[in-house]
């Protein structure tokens, strides 16, 4: 049976499919606005349809730039559909899986944004009931937005639904839900953000008992934030903040006292960096789309609020409005966003943004099958970071992430390998700030310099993309590590080559023959590498600064770190080699490719075939 579609939208690609329907990325035919649409088929049950209607009724009451919008519910004889906002952001669940924990300022920033979304719901009598990491999107600029009101309920209704790890005691006991119920769940998630683990990790009756009676385990929570967590996770709803708005006021006061007046600016930057380094990326840019409402993505309450306000009536009308519209229920024309509204996202799609330098996406479809295979796509996200705790300045470090790999487990392995050089460089730099002879005084001095001061230690990482599938992916990283304040940089070329079918990382020993990785072999190979101009102008004569892969190793043996770490970047036409500083010659460049007919005798069998497939 052919999948049904809303005529006013051009489908871009399918994001997920399940037994009852599918989720797609689409574009409005009139003005090109990108949206995510969740379709139910005609085979869906009456309960599924009523779930759509209930969601529309709940979301139609809420207007906030911190809540994703539902533009319209469409129903006809073919099925039902939710037309949703395409959002610049990434799931907090994925961020925590990637990083384990966030810096306190970043966690506070993420909590604040999503609490403002809850506050808008509470103001109109709606309780979310399912605040959890998967339902918080962190935007590419570090702000956060609340999604998925699928089990939202009017305040005061009996509540037995939710996600157990974050359910308040009254939910476990099926007592009425209130705004304080959402405060408890949000605090549990905040606890997870700052500690890297949930407050209670049991299951079944044991988990219920812990939420109901066990003291809040505060030992791992930063001391200045313990009163905030303890208040938000009080066992009795009456002892918690009465709603999200009151909790935001407490949060801002605690953050200001603990981390200074500029805590939110630092938190936004740190949250943006965390979002940019995710594994599950899906770029709007690759689809030739841009996110709707750039002002909303930047946190503009005015632009987002006006769009939402215009939609509230349509959303709250629920099934009646959608049903009367029939198959053509979606507004058409250039004013689509001004005429549509509500709030909800089953899929969240990420586009280009200031910090991320590109787009990423996370989507969730309940009980969906894996999405169909799509061409491999790469995203290079430039991230900048200033950390005044250790003097760290990262200037446009580039994370590379692959999307659309058929096997999610392989995709995770590939992206972990691709992110490792950047993460390792940042970790080494943080350790360097506390090295002997530096420590607290050095860090304090570093904080006094402007970030553009030549004495400020700045880490830079650039990338060079080689072959990009379908069998192999090869990425070169040039890591410019600061030596010390005002002392220049040490350049370290690193190559990550991965097998896209297995996720296995290939070292130089997997690419080059054993006979190549000897002093004699490298001596023979070096002349094939095209000369690289020196960055030192004092030595202009030809041949003075010619890079060599064969160093003067004692005894003629090549060290093991060279065997595994030789920067061999595979391209479709040949092999490029990375060179760092070599004595007086400052290369820190990648060579032009050595064509495969020339370099072929030095490669392991099959490497060229995979690189040129």
């Amino acid at each position: 049976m052919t999948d049904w579609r809303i005529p006013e939208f051009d489908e871009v690609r399918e994001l997920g499919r399940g037994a009852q329907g599918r989720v797609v990325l689409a574009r409005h035919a009139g003005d090109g606005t990108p949206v995510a649409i969740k379709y139910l088929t005609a085979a869906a049950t009456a309960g599924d349809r009523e779930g759509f209607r209930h969601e529309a009724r709940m979301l139609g009451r809420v207007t906030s730039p911190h809540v994703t919008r539902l533009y319209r519910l469409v129903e006809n004889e073919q099925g039902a559909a939710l037309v949703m906002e395409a959002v610049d952001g990434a799931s907090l669940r994925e961020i925590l899986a990637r990083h384990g924990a966030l810096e306190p300022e970043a966690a506070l920033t993420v909590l604040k944004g999503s609490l403002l979304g809850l506050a808008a719901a509470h103001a109109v009598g709606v309780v979310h009931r399912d605040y959890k990491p998967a339902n918080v999107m962190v935007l590419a600029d570090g702000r956060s937005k609340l999604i998925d009101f699928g089990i939202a309920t009017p305040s005061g209704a009996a509540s037995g639904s939710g996600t157990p790890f974050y359910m308040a005691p009254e939910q476990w006991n099926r007592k009425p839900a209130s705004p304080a119920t959402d405060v408890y769940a949000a605090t549990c998630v905040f606890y997870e953000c700052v500690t890297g683990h949930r407050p209670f990790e049991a299951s079944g009756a044991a988990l219920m008992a812990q939420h109901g009676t066990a003291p809040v385990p505060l030992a791992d929570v930063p001391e200045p934030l313990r009163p905030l967590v303890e208040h938000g996770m009080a066992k009795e709803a009456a002892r918690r903040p009465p709603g999200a708005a009151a909790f935001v006021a407490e949060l801002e006061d605690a953050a200001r006292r603990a981390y200074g007046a500029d805590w939110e600016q630092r938190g936004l930057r740190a949250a943006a960096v965390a979002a940019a380094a995710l594994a599950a990326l899906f770029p709007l840019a690759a689809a030739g789309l841009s996110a709707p409402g750039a002002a909303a993505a930047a946190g503009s309450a005015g632009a987002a609020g006006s769009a939402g306000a215009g939609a509230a009536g349509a959303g709250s009308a629920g099934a009646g409005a959608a049903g009367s519209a029939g198959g053509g229920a979606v507004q058409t024309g250039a004013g689509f966003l001004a005429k549509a509204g509500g709030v909800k996202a089953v899929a969240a799609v990420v586009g280009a943004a200031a910090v991320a330098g590109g787009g990423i996406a996370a989507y969730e479809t309940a009980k969906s099958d894996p999405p169909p295979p799509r061409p491999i796509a790469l995203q290079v996200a430039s991230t900048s970071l200033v950390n005044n705790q250790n003097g760290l300045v990262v200037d446009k470090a580039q994370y590379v992430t692959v999307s659309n790999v058929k096997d999610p487990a392989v995709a995770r392995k590939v992206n972990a390998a691709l992110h490792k050089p950047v993460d390792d460089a940042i970790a080494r730099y943080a350790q360097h700030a506390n090295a002997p002879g530096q420590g607290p005084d050095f860090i304090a001095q570093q904080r006094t310099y402007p970030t553009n001061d030549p004495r400020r230690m700045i880490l830079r990482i650039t990338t060079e993309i080689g072959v990009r599938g379908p069998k192999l992916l090869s990425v070169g990283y040039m890591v410019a590590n600061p030596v010390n304040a005002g002392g220049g940089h040490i350049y370290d070329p690193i190559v990550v080559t991965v097998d896209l079918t297995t996720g296995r990382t290939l070292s130089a020993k997997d690419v080059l023959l054993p006979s190549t990785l000897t002093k004699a072999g490298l001596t023979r190979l070096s002349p094939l590498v095209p000369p690289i101009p020196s960055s030192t102008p004092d030595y202009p004569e030809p041949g003075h600064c010619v890079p060599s892969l064969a160093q003067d190793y004692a005894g003629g043996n090549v060290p093991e770190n060279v065997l595994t770490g030789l920067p061999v970047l595979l391209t479709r036409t040949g092999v490029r080699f990375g060179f760092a500083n070599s004595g007086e010659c400052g290369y820190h460049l990648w060579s032009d490719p050595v064509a495969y007919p020339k370099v072929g005798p030095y490669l392991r069998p099959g490497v060229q075939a995979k690189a040129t497939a």
Side-chain angles (χ1 to χ4, degrees):
M1 179 179 176
T2 303
D3 293 319
W4 78 280
R5 301 182 182 187
I6 304 172
E8 288 80 4
F9 289 90
D10 298 323
E11 189 168 316
V12 176
R13 65 182 62 182
E14 186 173 287
L15 302 178
R17 179 179 291 268
Q20 299 301 318
R22 61 198 187 102
V23 178
V24 304
L25 174 65
R27 176 171 38 209
H28 187 254
D31 61 9
T33 300
V35 296
I37 305 177
K38 180 181 180 182
Y39 286 101
L40 278 184
T41 68
T45 66
D48 292 326
R49 285 199 178 226
E50 180 53 36
F52 264 41
R53 299 185 190 113
H54 171 80
E55 202 164 3
R57 286 192 291 268
M58 290 294 101
L59 298 178
R61 301 182 185 182
V62 184
T63 299
S64 171
H66 300 281
V67 178
T68 50
R69 288 169 287 172
L70 170 67
Y71 296 136
R72 188 61 62 89
L73 166 68
V74 178
E75 284 195 283
N76 57 34
E77 67 281 356
Q78 299 176 83
L82 294 174
V83 183
M84 299 164 288
E85 175 188 9
V87 182
D88 286 347
S91 163
L92 178 60
R93 180 181 67 180
E94 295 291 344
I95 290 175
L96 293 177
R98 174 81 175 90
H99 295 279
L102 299 178
E103 294 181 18
E105 295 97 321
L108 287 161
T109 301
V110 170
L111 178 63
K112 177 182 174 180
S114 52
L115 280 176
L116 290 173
L118 281 179
H122 295 167
V124 293
V126 174
V127 178
H128 188 279
R129 288 204 305 178
D130 200 22
Y131 186 109
K132 59 185 177 182
N135 288 339
V136 176
M137 301 301 295
V138 180
L139 307 187
D141 62 1
R143 301 173 192 270
S144 60
K145 185 174 290 222
L146 187 63
I147 69 170
D148 202 341
F149 279 61
I151 62 170
T153 187
S155 181
S159 176
S161 299
T163 300
F165 287 114
Y166 312 102
M167 281 169 51
E170 60 268 23
Q171 284 178 284
W172 287 97
N173 295 317
R174 299 184 176 275
K175 293 182 179 179
S178 71
T181 303
D182 285 340
V183 168
Y184 183 95
T187 310
C188 288
V189 172
F190 177 67
Y191 181 105
E192 187 174 349
C193 286
V194 295
T195 66
H197 59 85
R198 304 182 187 102
F200 302 117
E201 294 282 5
S203 60
L207 184 60
M208 177 181 177
Q210 288 177 339
H211 279 286
T213 60
V216 181
L218 297 173
D220 293 340
V221 177
E223 189 170 356
L225 303 178
R226 291 176 185 175
L228 187 71
V229 172
E230 192 167 28
H231 192 197
M233 288 185 64
K235 302 300 180 184
E236 298 177 20
R239 295 184 178 273
R240 296 177 215 136
F247 200 34
V248 166
E250 285 189 26
L251 179 154
E252 290 181 322
D253 182 61
R256 202 164 34 244
R257 285 187 282 105
Y259 303 106
D262 63 342
W263 70 271
E264 192 165 7
Q265 288 73 28
R266 287 184 279 112
L268 286 170
R269 285 195 296 266
V273 169
L278 281 180
L281 305 185
F282 182 90
L284 273 178
L289 303 178
S290 60
S300 169
S306 62
S316 60
S324 63
V330 178
Q331 294 281 359
T332 62
F336 166 69
L337 283 180
K339 299 175 184 177
V343 267
K344 156 73 178 162
V346 176
V349 183
V350 181
V355 175
I360 54 179
Y363 61 83
E364 293 191 358
T365 45
K367 300 180 181 178
S368 66
D369 299 326
R374 296 184 290 267
I376 299 300
L378 288 181
Q379 182 66 30
V380 180
S382 296
T383 64
S384 299
L385 172 69
V386 179
N387 188 330
N388 281 326
Q389 293 182 347
N390 58 20
L392 169 68
V393 178
V394 177
D395 180 30
K396 298 178 182 177
Q398 294 182 329
Y399 280 97
V400 177
T401 305
V402 65
S403 60
N404 302 341
V405 173
K406 182 177 180 180
D407 187 339
V410 171
R412 286 193 294 270
K413 291 171 67 175
V414 170
N415 286 315
L418 292 174
H419 294 166
K420 190 174 188 299
V422 180
D423 291 343
D424 286 352
I426 293 174
R428 286 195 303 270
Y429 182 19
Q431 294 171 355
H432 183 62
N434 292 292
Q438 296 177 166
D441 292 341
F442 173 77
I443 294 171
Q445 184 184 46
Q446 282 284 296
R447 288 201 295 261
T448 66
Y449 301 140
T451 56
N452 60 352
D453 191 300
R455 294 169 294 179
R456 192 73 185 256
M457 293 177 60
I458 299 178
L459 174 66
R460 294 184 176 93
I461 305 172
T462 57
T463 59
E464 193 74 20
I465 307 298
V467 63
R468 51 189 301 170
K471 294 185 177 181
L472 294 179
L473 171 64
S474 193
V475 179
Y477 301 79
M478 189 61 71
V479 180
N481 285 301
V483 180
N484 50 50
H489 291 78
I490 294 177
Y491 290 87
D492 186 15
I494 300 169
V495 171
V496 174
T497 298
V498 287
D499 186 323
L500 292 172
T501 60
T502 64
R504 178 172 174 263
T505 301
L506 308 181
S507 71
K509 296 174 72 173
D510 299 305
V511 174
L512 300 175
L513 288 168
S515 59
T516 304
L517 289 170
T518 63
K519 183 176 181 181
L522 294 178
T523 300
R524 290 193 301 271
L525 177 60
S526 290
L528 301 179
V529 181
I532 300 176
S534 171
S535 61
T536 306
D538 297 335
Y539 300 95
E541 63 270 22
H544 182 86
C545 287
V546 176
S548 174
L549 301 174
Q551 305 297 320
D552 187 16
Y553 302 123
N557 294 319
V558 182
E560 180 64 23
N561 66 321
V562 174
L563 295 181
T564 58
L566 189 73
V568 182
L569 179 64
L570 301 179
T571 75
R572 294 194 66 81
T573 59
V575 178
R576 302 178 68 184
F577 295 89
F579 294 91
N581 287 1
S582 179
E584 64 210 8
C585 301
Y587 300 119
H588 49 86
L589 294 169
W590 298 94
S591 75
D592 290 335
V594 182
Y596 282 118
K598 289 185 177 181
V599 78
Y602 299 88
L603 299 177
R604 284 186 177 272
V607 170
Q608 178 180 345
K610 288 185 177 180
T612 58

